[in-house]
Amino acid sequence: MRAIFHRAALALGLTGVAMLGLAALAPAHAQVFRQVIPNDMSVCNGAGPAVRVNISDIESARGTIRVQLYRGIESDWLETGRWLYRIEAPAREGRMSFCLPAPQAGTYGVAVRHDVNGNGSTDITVDGGAMSNNPSLNIFNLGKPNYRRTRFDIGNEVVTIDIRMRYL
């Protein structure tokens, strides 16, 4: 019985070592999703990669502004839980700026939502929305824009984008 236990322990130990070896081969830039971060504008004073997001046309100071960074690929764009970073801040009427670090140089998209009543749900007739590259959004086009229309490249620098908030 003891010999069986030792063989099983040895097999588990070797499996663990093999798994550690495989983990070492994983790319250092493996994506981690759903990180809520503070709006640290000093990150955009550095070398990057990062994106400075300037949002205009915010209709009121009620509620919360949520800014999310996605990888600029079809399988991630606006998919639940597939955002990389999220910043939430109390809304200010007019303009607001945010700084989102990027995990590495690459292609990304930004989505913004103004949760006017602060209930955590999207209320189409009340809340505002916006996306990188300002694709047209209207009552006839409420679906998510194609990721190709919202993506942009970030190198090893800080990129600035301007986004206009839209309301119905």
Side-chain angles (χ1 to χ4, degrees), residues 25-100:
L25 295 176
H29 60 273
Q31 298 299 315
V32 177
F33 296 100
R34 301 174 59 113
Q35 294 186 53
V36 178
I37 61 173
N39 187 23
D40 182 358
M41 293 303 291
S42 68
V43 172
C44 283
N45 295 332
V51 57
R52 180 181 295 111
V53 181
N54 296 320
I55 304 167
S56 63
D57 299 337
I58 301 169
E59 287 187 350
S60 77
R62 294 184 324 160
T64 303
I65 300 291
R66 174 186 291 170
V67 183
Q68 294 182 161
L69 181 71
Y70 291 84
R71 291 189 305 164
I73 59 175
E74 186 174 16
S75 61
D76 285 2
W77 177 239
L78 297 181
E79 293 298 326
T80 303
R82 298 296 291 183
W83 45 272
L84 299 169
Y85 295 113
R86 171 190 286 171
I87 298 173
E88 291 188 6
R92 285 196 328 255
E93 185 174 350
R95 300 180 59 84
M96 293 180 72
S97 293
F98 295 84
C99 180
L100 290 158

Side-chain angles (χ1 to χ4, degrees), residues 72-147:
I73 59 175
E74 186 174 16
S75 61
D76 285 2
W77 177 239
L78 297 181
E79 293 298 326
T80 303
R82 298 296 291 183
W83 45 272
L84 299 169
Y85 295 113
R86 171 190 286 171
I87 298 173
E88 291 188 6
R92 285 196 328 255
E93 185 174 350
R95 300 180 59 84
M96 293 180 72
S97 293
F98 295 84
C99 180
L100 290 158
Q104 65 190 35
T107 303
Y108 297 92
V110 171
V112 180
R113 182 166 69 95
H114 183 185
D115 183 4
V116 175
N117 61 10
N119 68 357
S121 297
T122 301
D123 302 309
I124 292 177
T125 59
V126 177
D127 293 344
M131 296 167 202
S132 43
N133 298 332
N134 295 300
S136 64
L137 301 172
N138 58 53
I139 193 70
F140 302 108
N141 177 23
L142 293 177
K144 67 181 181 183
N146 188 290
Y147 74 101

